[in-house]
Amino acid sequence: MSVRLRQYVYLGVLVLLLRLLLCAGGAHASPFYSSTRKHELRELAAETWRHAYGAYKRVAFPEDEVLPLSCGKQGHDRRNTENAGVNDVMGDYVLTLVDSLDTFAMLDDLPSFESAIRETISHVSFDVDSRVQVFEVTIRMMGGLLSGHLLANPSPPSPSTDPRSFSSSIKGFSLPWYKGELLDLAHDLGKRLLPAFETPTGIPFARVHLQRGLKGGKEGKAESGETCSAGAGSLLLEFITLSRLTSDPRFEQVARRAFFAIWNARSEIGLVGNTVDARTGGWMHSVSGIGAGVDSFFEYAAKAYVLTGEEDYRRVWEEAYAALQRYSRAPDGFWFRNTHMHTGALHSLLTDSLSAFFPGVLALMGDLEGAIKAHAPYAFIWKRFGGLPELWDTGRRGVAHAGYPLRPEFIESNMYLAQATGDDYYLSVAERILHDLNNRTRVDCGFAALLNIETGELEDKMPSFVTAETLKYLYLTFDERNPFLRDDSAFVFTTEGHPVEIPHPPRTHSPSQNRNRKKRVFSPPPLSSSSSTAEFTTHPNTTCAAHLPLYDSRYHHFLSLSVERRNDWEHARWLAAYDPEDVDEEVKEGRWSAEGWCEVPQGEDPTTTLNQTTSALSLFQSFLLSHLRTFARLPSPSVASSAASSIHSSLDSSASSSRSSLDAHRTSASSSSSPRMPDWRLPRPLPHRYLSPPLPPLTTIAPDPGNTPPLTLPQSTPQKAS
Ligand code: DMJ
């Protein structure tokens, strides 16, 4: 074939692909979410945020938080210093102001950003008589100061090697008069937190007094050793950023040491518990999962890798996620459950609303399929109640704790999924949330937490994360082109929603990149005597794919229809027991169809999923095949072999046997319509039982600096995670 002819062929294929793209990209071309409508919703979300922040400013500034029902204010509780519910978070340091700083930049409001930076400089001090939680003050105050600093810092006129002159990749908010005052504040705070890390394990004590340090002297003899994995393990992003910007390596060192002390204490099967003794490293509560007490440990493993590019963090994320897939994820692939960290056995059927952060991290880390599934039940629960309960009982499919303190996690994940999929479904979820928050929780002095999502009773509380995260993420969802959502950006959002970034390439003082890298020792893994780094990186199953749903190539590529067209969508709705009282009404409203199809996923045959490589070639093949199949109405060959029973199926089968009247309706609808269905849509006999593939090698990573003493396992004292 001549070169010119070949060029014509390539051009023809390109034109064909573009045509397919335009025809099939329905999710992006919804007439419902036109740009005008998105603009209206964005404006409403901005107005909602301003109402919340305006109430704080009018009523409570310079205290820490506004009390929305009483129109009061709240700071550190000095009458009852043991009031951890308040004092863990509030230290009399103008919390809501600092937690909100970067949102002004996202709202593209330079004048308000500038005056908030000035107020921070003139009002914030950490020389206060307050004993606070290390984790809370780090994520809310230090995170807010660092992102505010990066945005406000003027770019130097010529390239500079001084890390203090490093500024955000988002331009337009630098203030010519700004001299790094917020970085100085963050540095001062960091130094006041350092005493907490003076433990034999490197795991910090949970609390520290900002003026006096630890209780009981330098060694903290009167401190409780009890702390949680999330609190100890998720200081990384803020402490790394602080070290890299100030050239003071101590913060990165202690945060890294704490993180790996937690990771190295994981169980033989790779699970991380949620409560640990900072003195001994022994587990005080052996429950594992993705919720309270452990949640942001995983988030920071993933995001520390994104921020620094350091392989150690990626390896932790992948190993940790593989263990969660294996033991925590329910066989149908939707819920992550609490399990015993040493056996992997199911611990409880309760899941908390904090866990709703996980789909966002999955989307960020590229497991979009996992993210879509993990998000779906929360969305139906929100639709059912107009809020997300603090605790949900996955067995009973009902509320176990009805409070909703306006948490951001689900909204944050929804934003990541809206971004990653371009599917308007996620905008519809965000719109519903926006209206519910305004209709149910808006009061004159802000937004009040829901004490009970079923009755609508309110509570006199508006945590600082409402403006730092909840309403900010809601706004960003409708502002798809916001510069803070650029997917080539160098920053990550911390667990409190603060965008941080660091100078690249990393400075030479970085302990992980340079000095101590050579010293790092990978000690023998607990289970396999022959593991090595190479083995780890080439193992095909580091993110176990056992949760993948029945494979339907028509819905499997990036041009897919809305997620609402998935075969297993109705199952997600069932998990939320989102049973409409009036089925006819639901049908009329187009929210439910008697002709609909529900697939109950029952696990996956790993031999089929492991063979699905993600090479560009195979993606291209699957793209072409899926279209050929769609046009030619061919059945998908891979569906039949992809269903398999699960080793954990007892829970689901008992749940399956107790379906509601709607389920009966649905079952009869689907069975009555089944003769009209193409054959590939029917559930298949299960070919063989799901067998767990061999465990990936577990890697023990020595913390920096020095060696942490061997950690003891486990002390199983039941205790509530923070
Ligand atoms: C926030 O402070 C952060 O998102 C944190 O990671 C978890 N708790 C709250 C919100 O629920």
Side-chain angles (χ1 to χ4, degrees):
M1 208 190 301
S2 75
V3 174
R4 182 161 290 271
L5 187 59
R6 210 177 299 155
Q7 282 172 345
Y8 281 131
V9 170
Y10 287 149
L11 199 63
V13 170
L14 198 64
V15 169
L16 185 68
L17 287 175
L18 279 174
R19 274 191 67 98
L20 289 172
L21 185 70
L22 291 174
C23 294
H28 295 268
S30 159
F32 189 60
Y33 285 101
S34 61
S35 51
T36 315
R37 187 162 172 75
K38 276 190 261 196
H39 177 76
E40 285 165 6
L41 289 165
R42 188 163 68 237
E43 290 304 300
L44 176 59
E47 188 279 329
T48 304
W49 189 89
R50 286 185 193 285
H51 175 73
Y53 184 77
Y56 161 73
K57 203 61 208 312
R58 192 177 74 246
V59 176
F61 174 84
E63 292 280 349
D64 287 322
E65 286 182 356
V66 65
L67 298 175
L69 292 184
S70 58
C71 288
K73 45 191 163 189
Q74 178 76 60
H76 201 73
D77 185 350
R78 303 199 175 280
R79 274 181 305 185
N80 175 12
T81 50
E82 296 305 307
N83 181 357
V86 168
N87 287 351
D88 273 358
V89 172
M90 290 183 239
D92 287 345
Y93 32 46
V94 210
L95 173 64
T96 302
L97 169 77
V98 175
D99 226 359
S100 307
L101 286 175
D102 50 46
T103 314
F104 287 113
M106 293 173 203
L107 292 167
D108 199 17
D109 182 352
L110 179 61
S112 302
F113 176 73
E114 178 164 9
S115 66
I117 295 285
R118 285 190 194 278
E119 284 161 350
T120 301
I121 294 169
S122 54
H123 285 88
V124 177
S125 163
F126 295 106
D127 190 11
V128 279
D129 177 16
S130 304
R131 183 175 148 83
V132 292
Q133 213 194 82
V134 174
F135 168 74
E136 294 290 0
V137 72
T138 298
I139 64 167
R140 301 192 197 212
M141 292 297 294
M142 191 185 290
L145 290 168
L146 289 171
S147 62
H149 162 77
L150 286 165
L151 287 159
N153 214 19
S155 308
S158 52
S160 164
T161 50
D162 176 8
R164 265 187 81 88
S165 67
F166 179 74
S167 62
S168 172
S169 52
I170 306 286
K171 302 299 174 197
F173 297 93
S174 64
L175 305 172
W177 52 265
Y178 178 78
K179 300 270 180 302
E181 292 89 338
L182 271 63
L183 183 61
D184 294 337
L185 280 168
H187 198 181
D188 178 45
L189 172 60
K191 286 185 268 187
R192 291 171 191 272
L193 299 181
L194 284 177
F197 295 83
E198 296 289 331
T199 63
T201 60
I203 297 170
F205 289 120
R207 298 177 180 85
V208 69
H209 192 287
L210 291 175
Q211 287 172 331
R212 297 196 287 276
L214 300 178
K215 272 187 188 170
K218 200 169 170 294
E219 287 172 17
K221 290 210 169 71
E223 289 288 345
S224 156
E226 182 180 320
T227 190
C228 67
S229 302
S234 35
L235 306 165
L236 276 174
L237 298 182
E238 293 82 357
F239 277 43
I240 289 173
T241 307
L242 182 60
S243 273
R244 305 277 177 113
L245 296 181
T246 57
S247 303
D248 181 344
R250 291 175 294 171
F251 310 104
E252 182 165 356
Q253 284 167 353
V254 295
R256 187 180 169 86
R257 182 166 184 241
F259 176 83
F260 283 109
I262 296 287
W263 177 241
N264 288 342
R266 70 197 182 282
S267 72
E268 306 79 349
I269 57 175
L271 293 175
V272 177
N274 68 2
T275 312
V276 68
D277 186 332
R279 287 197 179 82
T280 65
W283 293 105
M284 300 178 77
H285 199 11
S286 56
V287 173
S288 184
I290 58 165
V294 64
D295 46 3
S296 48
F297 175 85
F298 303 118
E299 180 182 356
Y300 272 35
K303 290 182 176 177
Y305 169 61
V306 176
L307 183 72
T308 65
E310 289 175 33
E311 281 296 298
D312 289 348
Y313 297 121
R314 182 185 64 79
R315 293 160 56 124
V316 173
W317 160 253
E318 291 196 347
E319 287 189 15
Y321 184 37
L324 288 171
Q325 294 270 47
R326 192 177 311 280
Y327 298 106
S328 173
R329 193 160 211 155
D332 65 10
F334 286 84
W335 288 125
F336 285 84
R337 291 121 22 123
N338 287 327
T339 60
H340 289 280
M341 65 178 288
H342 299 290
T343 62
L346 191 63
H347 177 271
S348 93
L349 295 175
L350 299 181
T351 186
D352 59 31
S353 69
L354 289 167
S355 308
F357 82 99
F358 205 57
V361 176
L362 293 184
L364 178 73
M365 297 307 283
D367 183 359
L368 199 50
E369 173 62 20
I372 289 168
K373 293 188 80 165
H375 167 280
Y378 294 110
F380 280 113
I381 293 173
W382 185 291
K383 271 186 168 179
R384 183 177 158 194
F385 295 103
L388 204 61
E390 277 289 75
L391 278 179
W392 174 260
D393 186 330
T394 60
R396 240 179 1 95
R397 295 183 299 139
V399 172
H401 182 305
Y404 172 57
L406 305 174
R407 287 197 192 279
E409 287 77 7
F410 170 58
I411 298 164
E412 173 185 0
S413 284
N414 192 67
M415 180 200 76
Y416 278 102
L417 274 156
Q419 276 289 310
T421 62
D423 187 337
D424 278 0
Y425 164 75
Y426 296 103
L427 297 186
S428 76
V429 173
E431 180 175 0
R432 171 70 197 268
I433 294 169
L434 182 59
H435 295 317
D436 283 336
L437 291 180
N438 273 304
N439 293 336
R440 304 191 79 193
T441 72
R442 185 173 177 136
V443 291
D444 285 348
C445 293
F447 289 84
L450 276 162
L451 197 60
N452 188 319
I453 53 169
E454 295 181 272
T455 63
E457 194 183 344
L458 296 175
E459 197 182 354
D460 198 11
K461 215 163 85 174
M462 189 183 100
S464 70
F465 55 69
V466 173
T467 48
E469 294 188 85
T470 309
L471 301 179
K472 173 201 281 178
Y473 284 130
L474 211 43
Y475 172 80
L476 288 175
T477 310
F478 295 112
D479 194 19
E480 297 149 313
R481 300 225 170 84
N482 193 293
F484 286 89
L485 296 179
R486 264 186 11 218
D487 54 11
D488 63 342
S489 58
F491 54 77
V492 286
F493 284 100
T494 66
T495 192
E496 186 74 5
H498 300 303
V500 292
E501 56 190 299
I502 53 175
H504 280 287
R507 317 245 133 229
T508 48
H509 75 259
S510 159
S512 50
Q513 288 290 310
N514 299 292
R515 187 161 37 83
N516 290 326
R517 176 165 283 284
K518 292 192 194 90
K519 289 190 211 156
R520 185 165 305 122
V521 177
F522 289 92
S523 49
L527 289 184
S528 157
S529 55
S530 61
S531 89
S532 68
T533 310
E535 212 178 321
F536 179 94
T537 49
T538 55
H539 197 288
N541 196 27
T542 48
T543 53
C544 164
H547 68 283
L548 282 175
L550 298 175
Y551 183 83
D552 179 345
S553 59
R554 294 191 320 163
Y555 298 136
H556 205 70
H557 56 73
F558 72 101
L559 300 177
S560 67
L561 299 171
S562 169
V563 293
E564 291 180 283
R565 300 288 302 273
R566 292 168 59 103
N567 289 354
D568 53 8
W569 206 240
E570 192 65 7
H571 177 66
R573 171 163 157 145
W574 181 83
L575 289 173
Y578 180 52
D579 300 350
E581 284 176 8
D582 184 344
V583 171
D584 292 338
E585 179 66 15
E586 286 284 302
V587 171
K588 204 171 89 201
E589 296 270 313
R591 290 195 291 262
W592 191 76
S593 164
E595 302 298 314
W597 169 261
C598 175
E599 174 185 280
V600 182
Q602 296 176 26
E604 182 84 6
D605 177 354
T607 55
T608 60
T609 55
L610 285 180
N611 289 336
Q612 289 167 17
T613 69
T614 52
S615 70
L617 180 64
S618 70
L619 281 176
F620 184 67
Q621 281 171 345
S622 104
F623 170 83
L624 284 182
L625 278 173
S626 64
H627 276 88
L628 284 175
R629 257 191 222 108
T630 307
F631 295 140
R633 300 192 181 282
L634 294 176
S636 162
S638 54
V639 173
S641 61
S642 62
S645 66
S646 163
I647 48 175
H648 301 298
S649 62
S650 57
L651 175 75
D652 277 15
S653 53
S654 66
S656 307
S657 63
S658 60
R659 302 228 154 174
S660 65
S661 57
L662 177 68
D663 300 315
H665 191 155
R666 184 179 68 191
T667 309
S668 69
S670 59
S671 60
S672 68
S673 59
S674 57
R676 287 185 280 118
M677 297 279 183
D679 193 33
W680 54 265
R681 299 184 77 173
L682 293 173
R684 299 299 171 139
L686 304 173
H688 54 79
R689 286 178 70 78
Y690 170 86
L691 294 174
S692 207
L695 285 170
L698 299 171
T699 311
T700 299
I701 299 172
D704 280 318
N707 293 319
T708 301
L711 303 176
T712 45
L713 293 173
Q715 296 290 323
S716 197
T717 316
Q719 178 253 323
K720 193 151 173 37
S722 58

